[in-house]
Amino acid sequence: PKKKEKKNSRIEKIAIIHKALGIDSKNILDSQLQTTIDINVENGLSSEQDTTSVSSGVATASSRPSHRKLTPRDRMFFDRYGFLISSEQNTLLSNNFDDPKAVRKENERLLKWQKMLDEFDKYRNQKPEKLARRTCKGLPDAVRGVVWGKLTSYVTNVSGKTTPTFQELVNTKIGEAEYEQIMKDVPRTFPTNEFFCSIDPSTYALVPNPQGHQSLYQVLHAYACYDPAVGYCQGMNFIASVPLFYQQPEDAFKTFLFLMEGMNYRDYFLPDFPRLRESVYILDVLMKKHLSKLSKHLKKQEIEIQCFVVQWFLTMFTYNLPFAAIIRMWDWLFVEGHDIVFIVALAVLKLVSGKMLKLKGTDLLEYSMTFSGQLEVTADVLIHEALEFKEVLKTIDSIRTKAPQNLVSLPSTIQIYSKFTNQNDQNQIPFFLRNKFKNRNPVSPEK
């Protein structure tokens, strides 16, 4: 009876507010409107304090006056990573973030990482498997930049040359052609992310954020000066932008340099693209063994995988996957090394293989070239699917050695390892290479 009485009282309050707002209670079409008014009543807000948007399709409540007109800004939402999203996506994400179990789990993981950061050298040297496992589970956003910095900070003097400071590189002049290309590509990089855009208060339109663009330009400029043999190539802008979301420009440059030099990613951008051609070859071999039906179907339809995987490799998937999945992949990358891009590629292809097998001819070609940009997959699902292929990591160096002679020979993992100075000093060896030579199994993020 008490519950019924409370419910009736609540309904009466809602009816009063409906009347004050001139709303016909019998013809409420938007359930979110009802939810918002319920929340206002529970919080003791009056009808004058309630602002509800029916035309936007999303109910919003605030302390602004009810006579305030709806502006385009009220229809603009950004996710936790700063990307512009639709109102429907915002509602879904809000519901997910309200899950107390998810919030508690993330906070518990953050506390563990705060403790590990206080004793990072201990975990890195004495408990590397634990450090690797927790990294692969996904780093908390609050410490991701710091952890990435620590996982990539043990590469010193890889090339044997004196490294200029970041500011020295930024102040060094680059060629006119490279300058113009960087200036063209910077505004094209994640244009709907708050790091690279802002909202014009007068028109509520997205406009470029000069500070974000300047930071990305500095990182790309610095690398072009640091490695003139490679300079700047399209694709680097997306890779370099990811660490900038979590680190200051100088630290982001160091992380980018680690990927390019410590993991030999620079070879993707050398003349004739040797590593790109090698990677396409390796993935083709892996598909024939692990996704044989899809591989045969593509061959029958005379579609080469180069049509859709080149962009994956040149941008490290940053242009093709949801951002939450990208950063989880990067967490894993700093533990297992570059070769995880192959099992991530296999996972993506497995997720869409059902649809691809049903398509033929130009329909298949068009879908294969666009599906990755439209793929809606959670980070957990992607990592889970990739783990189905984790044993593949043990075979990739072997496949490299069998590559056709017309592919430029590239260094193996062992040869990369040999570049690092003072190999007996563990602090000089990148974390992802620590246990490569102990025949260990790849770390599973799901353990």
Side-chain angles (χ1 to χ4, degrees):
K2 289 184 178 180
K3 288 184 179 179
K4 187 175 181 179
E5 188 176 301
K6 184 177 180 180
K7 184 178 180 181
N8 290 336
S9 175
R10 187 177 174 188
I11 292 173
E12 288 175 3
K13 290 180 181 179
I14 293 172
I16 293 171
I17 294 178
H18 284 182
K19 185 176 180 181
L21 294 175
I23 299 173
D24 186 352
S25 300
K26 296 180 180 180
N27 293 312
I28 296 178
L29 301 178
D30 193 336
S31 60
Q32 290 179 320
L33 175 64
Q34 179 74 56
T35 303
T36 302
I37 296 177
D38 287 352
I39 292 171
N40 287 343
V41 171
E42 291 295 323
N43 292 332
L45 297 177
S46 68
S47 59
E48 292 181 356
Q49 291 175 297
D50 175 71
T51 302
T52 307
S53 164
V54 180
S55 59
S56 67
V58 176
T60 58
S62 73
S63 58
R64 293 175 293 190
S66 59
H67 64 268
R68 178 186 177 278
K69 290 184 178 180
L70 186 71
T71 68
R73 180 65 182 86
D74 293 309
R75 299 187 182 94
M76 303 178 77
F77 302 95
F78 294 88
D79 66 12
R80 67 186 298 176
Y81 305 110
F83 287 91
L84 184 69
I85 57 175
S86 67
S87 58
E88 293 80 8
Q89 289 174 311
N90 180 67
T91 302
L92 179 61
L93 290 173
S94 298
N95 292 338
N96 291 338
F97 290 148
D98 286 340
D99 181 3
K101 290 184 179 180
V103 174
R104 189 181 303 113
K105 184 177 181 181
E106 186 166 353
N107 287 337
E108 289 173 353
R109 187 168 290 174
L110 178 58
L111 290 173
K112 289 179 181 179
W113 270 104
Q114 288 175 329
K115 179 182 178 181
M116 288 179 66
L117 286 172
D118 290 338
E119 304 176 297
F120 191 82
D121 287 342
K122 173 184 174 182
Y123 281 92
R124 179 170 56 84
N125 297 323
Q126 300 175 23
K127 301 178 180 180
E129 290 296 325
K130 191 170 186 177
L131 174 60
R133 187 168 61 251
R134 286 188 177 175
T135 302
C136 291
K137 283 182 177 180
L139 296 169
D141 285 324
V143 297
R144 180 169 273 115
V146 177
V147 177
W148 281 1
K150 289 183 176 294
L151 289 174
T152 62
S153 65
Y154 301 101
V155 181
T156 59
N157 199 22
V158 173
S159 59
K161 64 183 179 182
T162 302
T163 304
T165 65
F166 175 69
Q167 199 56 50
E168 288 173 342
L169 290 168
V170 169
N171 293 334
T172 303
K173 188 176 181 180
I174 61 173
E176 187 67 25
E178 285 182 312
Y179 170 79
E180 289 180 359
Q181 191 60 56
I182 293 175
M183 292 301 289
K184 286 181 182 178
D185 290 344
V186 165
R188 300 169 180 169
T189 309
F190 296 127
T192 61
N193 186 280
E194 282 191 305
F195 188 83
F196 295 117
C197 72
S198 57
I199 300 173
D200 187 321
S202 61
T203 64
Y204 299 102
L206 289 182
V207 294
N209 177 4
Q211 186 175 353
H213 285 176
Q214 177 69 10
S215 296
L216 179 57
Y217 173 81
Q218 288 179 340
V219 172
L220 297 174
H221 178 116
Y223 184 77
C225 294
Y226 175 84
D227 191 352
V230 173
Y232 170 75
C233 296
Q234 286 182 304
M236 290 182 183
N237 51 317
F238 284 96
I239 299 174
S241 65
V242 175
L244 274 172
F245 293 151
Y246 294 97
Q247 298 173 318
Q248 293 298 313
E250 184 171 355
D251 294 327
F253 170 72
K254 292 177 182 177
T255 300
F256 181 65
L257 183 61
F258 171 83
L259 292 168
M260 298 295 288
E261 191 167 51
M263 287 192 175
N264 267 23
Y265 214 83
R266 68 184 293 277
D267 289 345
Y268 276 103
F269 303 98
L270 289 173
D272 296 328
F273 302 99
R275 193 167 194 180
L276 175 61
R277 291 189 290 114
E278 180 196 67
S279 295
V280 172
Y281 168 79
I282 291 172
L283 182 58
D284 189 47
V285 172
L286 294 175
M287 285 182 65
K288 288 176 181 177
K289 182 175 181 180
H290 300 282
L291 295 173
S292 57
K293 286 185 178 180
L294 180 58
S295 178
K296 291 176 182 177
H297 181 63
L298 289 171
K299 185 175 182 180
K300 185 177 180 180
Q301 299 299 315
E302 299 182 345
I303 294 177
E304 300 290 338
I305 64 172
Q306 290 95 313
C307 294
F308 51 91
V309 303
V310 166
Q311 193 178 64
W312 298 0
F313 291 126
L314 287 181
T315 65
M316 205 182 290
F317 288 97
T318 54
Y319 189 76
N320 305 96
L321 293 177
F323 193 76
I326 292 169
I327 55 176
R328 280 290 301 279
M329 188 195 81
W330 278 48
D331 293 343
W332 202 11
L333 178 81
F334 292 132
V335 170
E336 291 294 346
H338 162 271
D339 287 349
I340 70 155
V341 299
F342 295 112
I343 63 174
V344 171
L346 289 173
V348 171
L349 289 167
K350 181 183 175 183
L351 288 169
V352 298
S353 61
K355 184 167 183 178
M356 292 183 78
L357 289 169
K358 296 176 182 178
L359 299 174
K360 296 181 180 180
T362 55
D363 289 338
L364 176 60
L365 178 61
E366 183 179 351
Y367 179 73
S368 66
M369 295 177 69
T370 58
F371 75 82
S372 59
Q374 304 167 4
L375 189 65
E376 294 185 4
V377 58
T378 65
D380 288 336
V381 169
L382 181 66
I383 296 298
H384 175 79
E385 292 295 338
L387 283 171
E388 297 293 320
F389 301 102
K390 67 179 181 179
E391 294 301 316
V392 167
L393 293 173
K394 299 178 181 179
T395 68
I396 291 175
D397 273 346
S398 175
I399 296 173
R400 280 194 179 97
T401 62
K402 299 175 183 178
Q405 292 298 316
N406 62 338
L407 291 177
V408 179
S409 178
L410 291 170
S412 65
T413 303
I414 301 294
Q415 290 170 318
I416 294 174
Y417 171 78
S418 67
K419 294 197 311 180
F420 292 92
T421 59
N422 193 7
Q423 296 169 21
N424 294 324
D425 183 359
Q426 289 288 297
N427 288 345
Q428 300 295 320
I429 304 172
F431 185 77
F432 80 95
L433 289 175
R434 289 292 173 83
N435 300 314
K436 281 285 184 184
F437 316 100
K438 298 180 182 178
N439 296 318
R440 68 175 181 83
N441 291 322
V443 174
S444 171
E446 296 188 339
K447 286 184 179 179

